[in-house]
Amino acid sequence: MSIGHTLLGLLESGPRHGYDLKRAFDEKFGHDRPLHYGQVYSTMSRLLKNGLVEVDGIEAGGGPERKRYAITDAGITDVERWLATPEKPEEYLQSTLYTKVVLALLTHRDAADVLDTQRSEHLRSMRILTDRKRKGDLADQLICDHALFHLEADLRWLELTAARLDKLRAAVTR
């Protein structure tokens, strides 16, 4: 996820302080990975330097001055370009799991055990996500669906690989 673009998009609704941006980000996107304040302020500093935001006001208080940031026209254009650019699909062609299965075969360990252990971990994760989805709001449900679909694809791969273990063993140990 591009944190800079996300913060810019949040600024399109109006100027905000860094604290407000962090809170909005965490509420909408940071359920599992909330932003650190330092990350917000370093990102805002970079966006300011690149002309994508400007300081809309400075408030003095009991502590350090609070800057209020506003998105610039260049920032709006940058967000529009980012939203219109498709993400590269993750193809998982360098899968750690595949590597483990092949190494298990090469070292004469039980690759079926590797697959079974992974299957159990995937199912455990799916139970947790399903429970979270059941209790969550629409945003949480969609995030959980995305993760669950990926885990389901992994499970299909685990089953397919288990069915082909003998052929894979012969291919990698020749």
Side-chain angles (χ1 to χ4, degrees), residues 31-88:
H31 292 109
D32 295 319
R33 287 189 186 172
L35 284 180
H36 297 287
Y37 284 105
Q39 194 172 11
V40 172
Y41 292 111
S42 64
T43 301
M44 295 312 296
S45 177
R46 182 177 42 80
L47 295 172
L48 185 64
K49 180 179 147 195
N50 292 336
L52 302 176
V53 298
E54 61 191 7
V55 175
D56 185 60
I58 298 176
E59 297 172 10
E65 292 180 336
R66 292 179 33 155
K67 293 179 184 172
R68 188 174 55 245
Y69 298 96
I71 192 168
T72 62
D73 289 341
I76 292 170
T77 300
D78 198 53
V79 171
E80 287 173 350
R81 187 177 320 116
W82 179 67
L83 290 173
T85 303
E87 293 295 312
K88 184 179 184 316

Side-chain angles (χ1 to χ4, degrees), residues 33-156:
R33 287 189 186 172
L35 284 180
H36 297 287
Y37 284 105
Q39 194 172 11
V40 172
Y41 292 111
S42 64
T43 301
M44 295 312 296
S45 177
R46 182 177 42 80
L47 295 172
L48 185 64
K49 180 179 147 195
N50 292 336
L52 302 176
V53 298
E54 61 191 7
V55 175
D56 185 60
I58 298 176
E59 297 172 10
E65 292 180 336
R66 292 179 33 155
K67 293 179 184 172
R68 188 174 55 245
Y69 298 96
I71 192 168
T72 62
D73 289 341
I76 292 170
T77 300
D78 198 53
V79 171
E80 287 173 350
R81 187 177 320 116
W82 179 67
L83 290 173
T85 303
E87 293 295 312
K88 184 179 184 316
E90 295 181 33
E91 297 167 348
Y92 301 106
L93 293 178
Q94 292 297 321
S95 167
T96 303
L97 185 52
Y98 172 78
T99 302
K100 285 183 173 187
V101 170
V102 171
L103 283 176
L105 293 171
L106 290 173
T107 59
H108 307 290
R109 290 182 172 90
D110 192 344
D113 283 349
V114 172
L115 294 169
D116 288 342
T117 300
Q118 192 62 50
R119 184 181 303 105
S120 294
E121 183 62 20
H122 271 60
L123 291 171
R124 184 189 71 75
S125 184
M126 290 176 82
R127 282 189 297 273
I128 291 168
L129 286 167
T130 300
D131 186 54
R132 176 178 166 181
K133 177 182 165 181
R134 194 175 310 120
K135 296 174 182 174
D137 61 10
L138 179 59
D140 219 28
Q141 291 169 11
L142 290 170
I143 289 167
C144 290
D145 280 339
H146 187 262
L148 285 164
F149 292 149
H150 281 276
L151 290 170
E152 287 173 6
D154 286 350
L155 283 174
R156 286 194 314 268

